[in-house]
Amino acid sequence: MRENEASAVRASPNAFSLQAQAFRGLGIAAAAAAVLAYLGALGTGEAPLGLRLAYWAAVIMPGSFLGMGVSALVRSWGGLESRRWLEIALVALLVSLPHSFIVIVVSALFFGVEMITPMLVLQFWLAVLLITLVLTAINYLANADIQSRAPAVQPAMALPDAAQPVTIQSAQPETAPAIPPLLAEKLPVNLRSARLLAIEAEDHYLRVHTDAGSNLVLMRMTDACALLEDAPGARVHRSWWVARAAVTSGGQRAGRMMLDLSSGLQVPVSRAMQQRLKGSGWFSQGS
């Protein structure tokens, strides 16, 4: 039975990193809105506390969502991967430009704004840039543990009646494939020449696992698999493509077929793909 795409993504042990960053980012935004409202920042101190809370929530939350999108795009580009503070500054700058106009509109709705002049726009932009820079830095520091650590994989315990582990068949020594150029250009510079181990779907992104680390790219799984038609590997699950050379062992665990990769990842194999992999000679014995 084929698994639908949503359940395939939920089955991934690594899919929760994006969700964790999103929830953490929204929490930081909510806390910042509360602090700015309490302090009556930027001349809002004369307004009632409830109005200040509503105003700062309406100002900060759109910026938070803009920040998530811009940050993901900048990280996918990867040009400032080794210069984290420059990356933070670039994200803050890109967010502040459209967000300034949102702030002007919100300010006009809540408090009224005199004639909008270039000087007024500049003043709003500088204030937005400063706040955005601080919040972007806080988000980067808060999410550093999620972004830098390798995905935690919990060993799957076999049920008492589970089948014996299968052995991965290898007729000759294999090397993990190179990353296709169209995919490599979306990765940070330090990963572009690495060897490809696996590709994993995470919501609307793909996490590219290599022997030098992993990173998110904005691409559909079908498009990535089309680039890998001639690579020694297979799409073993709706949310996973795996290089054959990266697989070290596999077997039934908790009623599911799992593959162990050389990086420590454990990858589920859909029922539809199990027979195909056996027929292609991946396993030396049935599971």
Side-chain angles (χ1 to χ4, degrees):
M1 179 181 296
R2 295 183 64 185
E3 298 148 10
N4 61 50
E5 188 169 357
S7 64
V9 173
R10 284 196 298 270
S12 163
N14 310 307
F16 301 102
S17 61
L18 280 176
Q19 297 177 21
Q21 291 182 49
F23 282 123
R24 190 173 291 183
L26 291 176
I28 291 171
V35 170
L36 291 169
Y38 177 77
L39 295 176
L42 300 182
T44 60
E46 298 299 321
L49 179 59
L51 182 62
R52 299 202 305 266
L53 284 170
Y55 169 76
W56 282 109
V59 164
I60 296 294
M61 287 303 177
S64 178
F65 287 110
L66 275 172
M68 291 178 198
V70 172
S71 179
L73 290 175
V74 171
R75 285 182 192 141
S76 296
W77 168 54
L80 297 175
E81 179 74 16
S82 60
R83 300 177 180 178
R84 186 63 68 193
W85 288 104
L86 285 179
E87 184 175 290
I88 290 172
L90 177 60
V91 170
L93 177 63
L94 294 177
V95 170
S96 69
L97 295 173
H99 193 214
S100 297
F101 293 96
I102 295 175
V103 173
I104 291 173
V105 171
V106 172
S107 298
L109 291 174
F110 274 79
F111 302 112
V113 173
E114 298 178 359
M115 182 180 297
I116 298 177
T117 63
M119 181 59 66
L120 181 67
V121 173
L122 178 62
Q123 290 174 347
F124 269 102
W125 174 70
L126 289 175
V128 170
L129 178 61
L130 177 61
I131 294 174
T132 303
L133 184 61
V134 172
L135 291 181
T136 301
I138 292 173
N139 272 281
Y140 265 73
L141 293 173
N143 290 317
D145 60 323
I146 299 175
Q147 296 159 9
S148 62
R149 68 172 179 251
V153 178
Q154 298 297 325
M157 299 301 293
L159 295 177
D161 57 349
Q164 293 297 317
V166 297
T167 303
I168 302 302
Q169 181 95 324
S170 181
Q172 56 184 7
E174 295 184 60
T175 302
I179 303 171
L182 290 178
L183 179 57
E185 68 184 16
K186 297 177 179 292
L187 293 170
V189 176
N190 63 310
L191 297 183
R192 293 176 185 175
S193 59
R195 290 290 172 175
L196 180 61
L197 303 181
I199 298 176
E200 175 191 9
E202 291 192 10
D203 297 325
H204 300 295
Y205 295 85
L206 298 180
R207 182 172 294 278
V208 181
H209 297 279
T210 75
D211 59 0
S214 66
N215 200 76
L216 289 173
V217 301
L218 183 60
M219 179 180 279
R220 297 184 305 174
M221 177 64 86
T222 53
D223 295 335
C225 289
L227 298 175
L228 294 163
E229 285 184 350
D230 299 326
R235 187 173 181 178
V236 301
H237 194 279
R238 286 183 66 85
S239 62
W240 282 93
W241 183 95
V242 172
R244 180 169 175 171
V247 183
T248 58
S249 62
Q252 290 281 351
R253 301 190 183 101
R256 303 187 66 186
M257 169 65 79
M258 304 291 292
L259 296 177
D260 301 311
L261 305 192
S262 56
S263 62
L265 287 170
Q266 292 181 335
V267 178
V269 181
S270 67
R271 290 187 178 91
M273 282 302 301
Q274 290 179 28
Q275 294 301 321
R276 294 184 188 180
L277 294 180
K278 293 173 186 175
S280 299
W282 280 49
F283 308 137
S284 61
Q285 65 180 48
S287 58

